[in-house]
């Protein structure tokens, strides 16, 4: 057996000492790394359980808006580029919990949006929710909303998309308290409900142009004449009741694409697609801008104080035609970011909305009283081609027919329950932040 010499023992001791020192140094470094490195929780991606990605920071969702304009035209500093979260920038993620109501638990769904009752065979479109990119958006709380609205009045003013949104809101609120319908117009387009326990009044007012208009078409959209549109007069349907509202949610857009003759000071100034001699073709952009100016200035110059929201234009998803030329929408999942671009017409209309909001803010930089904010649902709506009634705007449209039969599709409005329910989460967030 070989005997270990003293020099060899000293060498072994030096090696051991070096290893101990290295381990000690590594421990100090590692602990300091843990102290200064951010901890990023990992969650499974909703679309692929095998994919792991960082979750967004868990911060409260505060309202700023897309489009480089003030979020609040009363002079607040909610500007794009701040550290506050833009709740309208994000993605649709799978939500296995599904909707907070069904067509059985809600009795205020209009026939054309009652997709389940009308026989739509798939249901995947109801298992998604909107998630902002940089914050968590709390789920709409109907009890908290009603408490916030106690002894107040809210009106949705605009086109059938506004009515669609009201139906969604009613469906969620009715899970807490059943409202009483206290008014409807002859065509059931304008309605009012009262929540007795909270003394809260909710209205929807049919005003697709926001300004005074005479419309000549039936309920299926077939026109017998050009719209007569007074661009400088707020629609009396809502203007006469304006003093009764604490909150208003306003939206228009699609109707301005219709053939119309434009009036200012009760005099014809032009038209859109009217093809009349001695009448100038001004186009829908001119009319939309003028109508928005009239409506927004009426609100902001009034002595009555309200909290107002302007909803941006909502794109449709007709493919291979329009509503009256065989267009359809048969997709069953949302688009991902980058898979679709906003149409030129919708881009123009949204640009007008942003510009007019900015103009109102410039005219009233430090005004106190009424507030005006943007409800910027254009992009998140663009990503949901799967949530429309399509042929199921009618009751079992293919009964006794080939499923390839041509039937009229609705690729603009939303099934209930459906994607528009997420708008209530956005609405609640804005209201809570004043």
């Amino acid at each position: 057996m070989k005997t270990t010499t003293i020099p060899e023992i000293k060498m072994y001791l030096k090696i051991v000492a070096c290893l101990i020192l290295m381990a000690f140094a590594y421990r100090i470094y590692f602990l300091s790394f843990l102290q200064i490195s951010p901890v990023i929780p990992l969650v499974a991606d909703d679309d692929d359980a095998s994919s792991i990605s960082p979750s967004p920071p868990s911060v409260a969702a505060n309202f700023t808006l897309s489009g480089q304009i003030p979020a609040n035209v009363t002079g607040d500093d909610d500007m794009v580029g701040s550290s506050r979260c833009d709740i309208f920038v994000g993605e649709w993620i799978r939500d296995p919990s599904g909707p907070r109501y069904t067509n059985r638990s809600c009795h205020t769904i209009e026939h054309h949006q009652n997709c389940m009752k009308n026989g739509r065979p798939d249901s995947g479109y109801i298992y998604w929710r909107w998630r902002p990119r940089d914050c968590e958006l709390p789920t709409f709380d109907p009890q908290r909303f009603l408490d916030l609205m106690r002894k107040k009045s809210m009106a949705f003013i605009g086109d059938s998309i506004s009515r669609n949104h009201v139906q969604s809101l009613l469906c969620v609120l009715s899970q807490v308290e059943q409202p009483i319908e206290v008014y409807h117009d002859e065509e059931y387009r304008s309605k009012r409900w009262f929540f007795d326990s909270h003394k809260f009044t909710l209205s929807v007012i049919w005003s697709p142009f926001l300004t005074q208009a005479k419309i000549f078409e039936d309920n299926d959209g077939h026109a017998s004449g050009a719209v007569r549109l007074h661009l400088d007069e707020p629609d009396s349907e809502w203007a006469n009741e304006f003093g009764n509202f604490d909150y208003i949610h306003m939206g228009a857009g699609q109707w301005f694409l219709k053939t119309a003759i434009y009036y200012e000071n009760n005099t014809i100034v032009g038209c859109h697609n009217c093809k009349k001699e001695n009448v100038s073709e001004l186009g829908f952009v001119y009319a939309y801008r003028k109508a928005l100016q009239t409506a927004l200035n009426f609100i902001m110059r009034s002595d009555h104080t309200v909290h107002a929201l302007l909803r941006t234009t909502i794109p449709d998803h007709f493919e291979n035609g329009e509503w009256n030329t065989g267009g359809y929408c048969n997709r069953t999942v949302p688009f991902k970011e980058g898979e679709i671009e906003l149409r030129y017409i919708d881009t123009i209309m949204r640009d007008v909305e942003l510009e007019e909001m900015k103009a109102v803010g410039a005219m009233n930089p430090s005004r106190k009283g009424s507030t005006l904010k943007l409800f910027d649902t254009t992009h998140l709506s663009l990503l949901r081609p799967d949530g429309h009634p399509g042929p199921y705007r009618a009751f079992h449209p293919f009964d006794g027919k080939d499923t390839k039969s041509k039937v009229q599709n609705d690729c603009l409005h939303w099934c209930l329950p459906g994607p528009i329910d997420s708008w209530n989460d956005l609405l609640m967030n804005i209201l809570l932040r004043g």
Side-chain angles (χ1 to χ4, degrees), residues 139-397:
T139 299
F140 182 84
D141 184 337
Q143 183 62 65
R144 191 177 185 187
F145 179 89
L146 287 172
D147 290 340
L148 182 66
M149 292 292 112
R150 188 177 298 277
K151 296 183 179 180
K152 297 189 182 302
S153 176
M154 174 180 284
F156 283 71
I157 301 165
D159 53 22
S160 53
I161 296 294
S162 294
R163 193 163 69 245
N164 201 175
H165 189 181
V166 166
Q167 292 175 46
S168 169
L169 181 59
L170 280 168
C171 283
V172 183
L173 295 179
S174 66
Q175 309 308 302
V176 171
E177 179 182 352
Q178 286 292 338
I180 303 167
E181 185 180 311
V182 294
Y183 167 79
H184 64 77
D185 64 3
E186 185 176 347
E187 295 182 332
Y188 289 81
R189 285 180 163 176
S190 295
K191 294 183 179 182
R192 185 164 60 249
W193 298 265
F194 186 63
F195 292 80
D196 185 59
S197 296
H198 294 81
K199 301 297 184 281
F200 168 53
T201 302
L202 178 62
S203 304
V204 59
I205 300 176
W206 171 251
S207 181
F209 294 100
L210 304 179
T211 60
Q212 204 70 33
K214 290 185 178 179
I215 301 170
F216 308 94
E217 71 173 44
D218 60 24
N219 290 332
D220 288 325
H222 300 288
S224 59
V227 174
R228 305 299 200 228
L229 182 57
H230 294 260
L231 299 173
D232 56 349
E233 298 178 26
D235 188 355
S236 59
E237 290 295 318
W238 64 268
N240 290 347
E241 293 189 54
F242 181 71
N244 298 324
F245 304 134
D246 300 292
Y247 298 87
I248 60 174
H249 187 289
M250 184 174 285
Q254 292 283 340
W255 279 71
F256 285 86
L257 302 178
K258 295 178 180 288
T259 299
I261 298 175
Y262 304 141
Y263 292 76
E264 294 179 42
N265 295 319
N266 291 316
T267 302
I268 295 176
V269 295
C271 73
H272 170 55
N273 197 35
C274 67
K275 298 178 176 65
K276 287 184 177 291
E277 291 185 11
N278 301 320
V279 178
S280 301
E281 173 67 30
L282 291 179
F284 69 89
V285 176
Y286 174 88
Y288 193 38
R289 185 181 302 280
K290 280 283 186 177
L292 284 180
Q293 289 173 358
T294 297
L296 297 181
N297 286 330
F298 177 88
I299 293 169
M300 298 307 293
R301 292 173 180 173
S302 171
D303 292 332
H304 176 63
T305 299
V306 298
H307 299 276
L309 299 176
L310 176 66
R311 189 202 75 226
T312 55
T313 190
I314 303 301
D316 64 54
H317 290 97
F318 285 101
E319 297 184 47
N320 298 315
E322 299 299 324
W323 68 273
N324 57 347
T325 58
Y328 58 83
C329 44
N330 58 4
R331 297 180 185 269
T332 57
V333 294
F335 285 121
K336 292 184 181 297
E337 192 66 46
E339 289 183 339
I340 187 172
E341 295 293 331
L342 198 62
R343 292 184 310 172
Y344 178 66
I345 288 178
D346 295 317
T347 299
I348 291 175
M349 299 189 80
R350 185 171 177 278
D351 286 345
V352 170
E353 293 155 353
L354 298 178
E355 290 164 6
E356 292 311 313
M357 281 282 290
K358 185 175 182 178
V360 172
M363 288 190 300
N364 303 275
S366 59
R367 174 187 168 87
K368 301 299 179 183
S370 293
T371 61
L372 177 60
K373 297 184 179 182
L374 204 69
F375 198 71
D376 193 6
T377 48
T378 300
H379 186 67
L380 63 91
S381 300
L382 177 67
L383 300 178
R384 291 307 304 272
D386 57 317
H388 301 294
Y392 299 99
R393 62 184 295 275
F395 184 74
H396 290 269

